[in-house]
C-alpha cells in the first residue's frame, strides 16, 4: 500500500496527474507502477539491440531437403491426434495502411483543376497508377461498380477520371463502403469465379488442412470488440459448408487486447499527452500485448499466422510446410523432454551431461555459459535444466525480398552470450554503420509463420509472461490531428515477448508468404485466380 501511495505521489508531483487521471487508469485496470515505468522509459530511452550477425543457412537457419521436409510432415500427421492443436490469428488491426495511398489521393487531388494523370505526375503517387490500371481485377470491383451505377443512373456516361475518383471515394467514404476503417479479416480478398472470399474464410480453410486433430480444428482470432459480430457472421455463414466438405468440426474463439496492456503516450517533452477532453492518451501497446491472449490458450501446439497472410493459390504448399514446422517441433520437444528427464536422474553420467550440452548447442543453437566446463556437476545440471525448461517455437523464414519488417539474427545479450532472435528495424541503431550493415545483410525475412509448444515435459502450461524480455519494447513517433507525440509499444509478440523461448529457424518457400500490406498486393499472382 505504501509503495502504491509513493507511486501515486510521484505521478502527481512530477507529471501533474489528477484524481480524474487516476480514475481513468483504474478503469482500464492499468497498474500505476506500469505507467510510471513507461514514463521513465521515455526519459531514459531504450537500449538498442546489438546485432552480432545475421542468421543464415547453416548458421542459425536450417534448410531441409525435400525428403526431410516430407518426413517431418509425416511425423506430424502420424502424431497429431495426441495433441490439442490451435491456430492463433492476430486480426485486430484496421486496414487503414492498406488504403493509405488512396486516402492521400482523396485529400490532395484537385478534381476541378487537374486530371488524375497530372496529380500522379505532381505527387509521384505511382501506387495510384497501379491501382487504376488493375482496378477491374480487385475482388471488390464489381460490388462497388454496381453500387455506383445504381446510385448514379448516368454513371456510364461520365468521363474516366470522374468515374475513377468516385470509385475511390465510394470505397473509402465512411457512409459508403468505408474499407479503410474495417479490419482486414472481413474485407474481400479473393475471387473464386464470382464467389468472394475474406481472409477469415481462407484461414478457416487452412486450419482444416493442417491444424485439425481428432476431427476438430480450433481457431482463435484476436480482434477489436466492435468487430466481433462481423467476424462471427462470416464464420457462421461459411462453417456449415466447410464442415460438410471436410468432416472437421470448426471451433472458433475470440479475444481482444485487454485495456490493462494499454500504454501511455507523451509529448516531445516526455510529458503525458492529453486529448481534447483533457484525458490521458492511453493507446494499445502493439502486438506484444497479445502474449497475454496466447497465454490463455490450453492447446499443446499453436500455429501463429497473421490475418493478411493468405493465398488464393498454394494451399498445398502452405499446408505442407505448416506440418513440416509442426513435425520439427514435435521431434525437438521429444528430444528436449527426454534430456530433461535424464537431468532429473541424480546418477546421470558425465558423458550424458556432455551429450545434452552438445544437443543444446548444436540442435537448439543455444550457447551454454563460457565457463560451463568449470562448473561442478550439480551446477551444470541446474544450468542445462534452465535452458531446456522453456516453451519452444519453430519459426519459418523466407528468403529476403526487401519486404518491410524484421528478420532472424544472432544478438549479443547483456551478459555477453549470443542468441537467436527475430529483430525489427526499430530495435536497432541504424545510425551505427556496422549495425546497419549487419541488418541489411540479412538473407532471410520473418513472415510470422510460427509453431509453438506451450507445455513442459510434465504436460503443464508454461506461464508465457515468465519468458518476456521486458527491456525490448519500442518507442515510436506518431502523429494525430497534426500533433506529434511519442508512444511506447510493448516487446513484440515474436520479438521481445518470446525472447527467452527456445527458438529454431527453418527455411520455408516464398510461396507460403503472401501478405497484403497495401491493396495493390491483391493484384499479385498469389491473390488472383490462376
Amino acid at each position: 500500500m505504501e509503495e502504491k501511495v509513493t507511486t501515486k505521489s510521484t505521478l502527481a508531483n512530477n507529471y501533474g496527474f489528477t484524481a480524474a487521471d487516476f480514475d481513468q487508469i483504474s478503469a482500464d485496470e492499468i497498474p500505476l507502477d506500469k505507467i510510471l515505468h513507461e514514463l521513465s522509459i521515455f526519459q531514459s530511452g531504450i537500449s538498442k539491440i546489438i546485432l552480432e550477425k545475421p542468421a543464415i543457412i547453416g548458421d542459425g537457419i536450417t534448410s531441409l531437403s525435400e525428403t526431410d521436409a516430407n518426413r517431418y510432415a509425416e511425423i506430424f500427421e502420424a502424431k497429431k491426434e495426441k495433441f490439442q492443436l490451435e491456430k492463433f490469428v492476430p486480426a485486430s488491426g484496421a486496414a487503414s495502411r492498406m488504403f493509405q495511398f488512396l486516402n492521400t489521393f482523396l485529400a490532395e487531388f484537385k478534381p476541378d483543376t487537374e486530371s488524375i494523370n497530372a496529380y500522379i505526375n505532381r505527387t509521384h503517387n505511382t501506387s495510384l497508377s497501379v491501382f487504376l490500371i488493375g482496378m477491374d481485377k480487385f475482388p471488390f470491383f464489381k460490388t462497388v461498380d454496381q453500387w455506383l451505377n445504381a446510385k448514379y443512373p448516368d454513371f456510364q456516361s461520365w468521363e474516366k477520371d470522374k468515374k475513377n475518383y468516385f470509385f475511390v471515394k465510394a470505397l473509402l467514404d465512411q457512409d459508403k463502403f468505408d474499407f479503410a476503417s474495417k479490419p482486414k479479416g472481413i474485407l474481400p480478398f479473393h475471387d473464386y469465379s464470382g464467389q468472394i472470399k475474406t481472409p477469415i474464410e481462407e484461414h478457416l480453410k487452412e486450419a482444416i488442412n493442417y491444424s485439425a486433430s481428432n476431427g476438430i480444428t480450433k481457431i482463435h482470432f484476436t480482434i477489436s470488440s466492435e468487430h466481433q459480430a462481423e467476424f462471427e457472421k462470416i464464420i457462421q455463414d461459411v462453417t456449415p459448408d466447410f464442415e460438410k466438405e471436410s468432416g472437421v468440426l470448426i471451433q472458433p474463439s475470440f479475444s481482444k487486447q485487454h485495456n490493462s496492456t494499454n500504454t501511455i503516450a507523451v509529448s516531445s517533452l516526455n510529458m503525458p499527452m492529453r486529448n481534447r477532453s483533457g484525458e490521458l492518451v492511453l493507446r494499445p501497446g502493439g502486438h506484444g500485448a497479445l502474449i497475454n491472449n496466447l497465454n490463455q490458450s490450453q492447446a499443446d501446439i499453436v500455429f501463429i499466422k497473421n490475418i493478411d497472410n493468405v493465398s488464393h493459390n498454394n494451399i498445398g504448399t502452405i499446408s505442407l510446410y505448416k506440418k513440416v514446422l509442426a513435425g520439427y517441433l514435435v521431434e525437438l520437444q521429444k528430444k528436449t523432454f527426454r534430456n530433461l528427464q535424464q537431468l532429473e536422474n541424480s546418477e546421470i553420467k558425465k558423458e550424458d551431461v556432455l551429450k545434452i550440452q552438445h544437443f543444446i548447442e548444436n540442435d537448439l543453437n543455444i550457447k551454454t555459459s563460457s565457463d560451463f566446463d568449470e562448473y561442478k556437476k550439480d551446477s551444470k545440471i541446474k544450468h542445462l535444466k534452465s535452458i531446456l525448461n522453456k516453451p519452444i517455437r519453430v519459426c519459418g523464414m523466407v528468403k529476403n525480398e526487401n519486404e518491410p519488417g524484421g528478420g532472424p539474427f544472432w544478438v549479443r545479450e547483456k551478459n555477453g552470450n549470443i542468441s537467436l532472435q527475430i529483430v525489427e528495424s526499430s530495435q536497432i541503431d541504424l545510425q551505427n554503420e556496422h549495425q546497419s550493415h549487419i541488418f541489411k545483410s540479412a538473407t532471410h525475412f520473418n513472415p510470422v509463420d510460427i509453431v509453438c509448444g506451450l507445455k513442459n515435459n510434465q504436460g503443464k502450461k508454461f506461464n508465457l509472461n515468465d519468458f518476456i524480455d521486458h527491456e525490448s519494447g519500442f518507442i515510436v513517433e506518431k502523429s494525430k490531428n497534426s500533433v506529434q507525440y511519442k508512444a511506447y509499444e510493448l516487446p513484440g509478440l515474436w520479438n521481445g515477448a518470446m525472447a527467452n523461448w527456445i527458438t529454431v529457424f527453418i527455411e520455408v518457400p516464398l510461396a507460403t508468404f503472401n501478405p497484403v500490406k497495401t491493396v495493390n498486393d491483391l493484384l499479385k499472382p498469389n491473390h488472383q485466380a490462376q
Side-chain angles (χ1 to χ4, degrees):
M1 178 64 74
E2 184 179 339
E3 183 179 348
K4 186 174 180 180
V5 171
T6 304
T7 302
K8 202 168 185 177
S9 175
T10 302
L11 288 169
N13 294 333
N14 294 0
Y15 296 100
F17 277 48
T18 65
D21 295 334
F22 292 122
D23 288 343
Q24 181 187 352
I25 293 167
S26 176
D28 280 351
E29 300 180 26
I30 303 174
L32 289 177
D33 57 356
K34 176 177 176 290
I35 296 286
L36 186 59
H37 175 65
E38 289 164 8
L39 289 168
S40 70
I41 287 173
F42 287 117
Q43 297 284 354
S44 60
I46 296 175
S47 299
K48 295 293 187 179
I49 280 178
I50 304 299
L51 301 180
E52 184 72 14
K53 55 186 175 179
I56 60 174
I57 298 294
D59 186 17
I61 301 176
T62 298
S63 179
L64 300 173
S65 67
E66 185 178 345
T67 301
D68 283 342
N70 286 324
R71 180 170 63 84
Y72 282 114
E74 289 167 3
I75 287 170
F76 176 66
E77 280 290 338
K79 297 185 177 181
K80 68 180 183 180
E81 309 300 337
K82 298 178 181 179
F83 299 103
Q84 288 187 54
L85 308 178
E86 185 172 51
K87 187 174 182 182
F88 184 91
V89 185
S92 59
S96 51
R97 290 183 188 176
M98 191 171 156
F99 299 96
Q100 190 167 10
F101 71 89
L102 293 178
N103 270 318
T104 300
F105 164 65
L106 292 179
E108 297 180 348
F109 178 54
K110 302 170 184 176
D112 297 331
T113 60
E114 66 182 343
S115 67
I116 290 179
N117 194 51
Y119 163 80
I120 291 170
N121 291 333
R122 174 170 65 83
T123 62
H124 307 291
N125 189 343
T126 53
S127 295
L128 179 61
S129 294
V130 175
F131 178 87
L132 296 177
I133 290 168
M135 197 160 63
D136 62 344
K137 294 183 175 65
F138 286 111
F140 49 77
F141 174 77
K142 287 182 181 177
T143 301
V144 178
D145 188 60
Q146 287 170 2
W147 183 89
L148 287 166
N149 276 280
K151 177 77 172 176
Y152 307 103
D154 59 342
F155 181 75
Q156 288 303 321
S157 66
W158 292 0
E159 53 97 22
K160 189 175 181 181
D161 271 13
K162 186 176 180 182
K163 282 183 178 179
N164 288 339
Y165 176 66
F166 272 72
F167 184 96
V168 175
K169 274 185 63 65
L171 195 67
L172 301 184
D173 276 1
Q174 289 184 351
D175 60 347
K176 299 183 178 70
F177 289 89
D178 195 23
F179 274 10
S181 299
K182 293 180 178 177
K184 286 183 181 179
I186 68 172
L187 295 180
F189 262 37
H190 299 147
D191 185 346
Y192 293 84
S193 301
Q195 283 195 317
I196 307 302
K197 302 293 184 184
T198 63
I200 294 172
E201 294 165 83
E202 299 290 16
H203 276 287
L204 292 176
K205 182 167 66 176
E206 282 190 20
I208 288 167
N209 274 273
Y210 60 74
S211 61
S213 66
N214 300 299
I216 296 171
T217 185
K218 297 181 179 181
I219 183 164
H220 184 87
F221 296 95
T222 64
I223 58 171
S224 299
S225 298
E226 63 266 30
H227 297 300
Q228 182 165 338
E230 294 167 288
F231 272 73
E232 288 179 338
K233 184 178 187 314
I234 290 172
I235 292 172
Q236 288 167 3
D237 287 347
V238 302
T239 291
D241 286 343
F242 275 134
E243 291 184 339
K244 183 178 180 181
E245 184 179 336
S246 66
V248 173
L249 183 67
I250 297 172
Q251 293 185 352
S253 58
F254 306 92
S255 64
K256 70 180 188 71
Q257 291 186 27
H258 196 277
N259 289 345
S260 63
T261 64
N262 287 353
T263 63
I264 193 164
V266 299
S267 68
S268 58
L269 299 176
N270 296 323
M271 293 301 288
M273 276 286 291
R274 296 181 181 277
N275 61 23
R276 289 172 180 172
S277 302
E279 296 173 320
L280 295 170
V281 175
L282 302 171
R283 60 188 301 280
H287 58 70
L290 298 181
I291 196 69
N292 295 290
N293 305 61
L294 183 62
N295 204 26
Q296 299 305 307
S297 175
Q298 299 302 311
D300 302 301
I301 295 174
V302 174
F303 298 78
I304 301 179
K305 194 180 184 195
N306 278 335
I307 187 68
D308 67 343
N309 183 12
V310 291
S311 176
H312 192 295
N313 316 298
N314 299 329
I315 185 70
T317 301
I318 291 167
S319 298
L320 170 64
Y321 275 87
K322 289 294 183 298
K323 295 174 185 178
V324 170
L325 298 179
Y328 200 97
L329 171 70
V330 168
E331 284 295 280
L332 205 58
Q333 272 191 329
K334 184 173 76 172
K335 294 175 184 177
T336 301
F337 292 170
R338 185 172 61 219
N339 286 327
L340 278 167
Q341 190 174 6
Q342 275 192 285
L343 290 170
E344 292 295 337
N345 181 3
S346 58
E347 304 299 320
I348 188 172
K349 298 176 182 177
K350 284 184 179 179
E351 54 265 34
D352 290 328
V353 172
L354 186 62
K355 285 179 184 177
I356 294 172
Q357 181 191 5
H358 287 169
F359 165 76
I360 287 171
E361 295 191 344
N362 298 325
D363 290 48
L364 303 184
N365 281 308
I366 297 173
K367 309 303 178 188
T368 51
S369 295
S370 56
D371 55 350
F372 181 79
D373 291 342
E374 300 171 17
Y375 285 11
K376 292 182 179 179
K377 182 182 175 183
D378 286 350
S379 296
K380 284 184 175 181
I381 290 171
K382 184 178 180 182
H383 180 61
L384 296 179
K385 279 184 181 179
S386 71
I387 293 174
L388 293 175
N389 194 28
K390 295 179 177 181
I392 303 174
R393 59 174 174 163
V394 177
C395 311
M397 292 290 156
V398 296
K399 287 181 180 176
N400 196 348
E401 289 209 329
N402 298 315
E403 291 281 351
F409 292 90
W410 288 98
V411 168
R412 178 69 60 181
E413 298 175 351
K414 289 182 179 178
N415 61 9
N417 292 341
I418 62 172
S419 66
L420 284 173
Q421 301 291 343
I422 298 171
V423 182
E424 309 292 328
S425 60
S426 56
Q427 295 178 274
I428 305 159
D429 179 8
L430 293 175
Q431 301 303 311
N432 180 307
E433 190 175 335
H434 179 60
Q435 289 293 292
S436 178
H437 174 72
I438 294 173
F439 187 73
K440 291 175 182 176
S441 300
T443 58
H444 288 72
F445 173 82
N446 168 39
V448 189
D449 189 357
I450 306 172
V451 184
C452 307
L454 302 186
K455 294 182 180 177
N456 65 18
N457 60 324
Q458 305 297 319
K460 295 179 180 178
K461 252 173 50 65
F462 286 106
N463 179 0
L464 303 184
N465 291 311
D466 294 340
F467 303 93
I468 299 171
D469 175 3
H470 291 283
E471 297 182 13
S472 62
F474 309 75
I475 293 176
V476 292
E477 304 283 341
K478 296 284 184 178
S479 175
K480 188 169 184 178
N481 299 325
S482 300
V483 177
Q484 301 293 320
Y485 68 93
K486 293 190 286 187
Y488 173 71
E489 294 199 353
L490 299 168
L493 179 59
W494 39 84
N495 312 115
M498 296 182 176
N500 295 312
W501 292 37
I502 294 171
T503 297
V504 174
F505 297 144
I506 305 291
E507 186 180 52
V508 295
L510 271 169
T512 64
F513 182 51
N514 306 283
V516 178
K517 299 307 177 187
T518 82
V519 65
N520 286 349
D521 287 331
L522 292 174
L523 298 174
K524 292 180 177 179
N526 284 337
H527 295 288
Q528 295 285 317
Q530 299 290 300

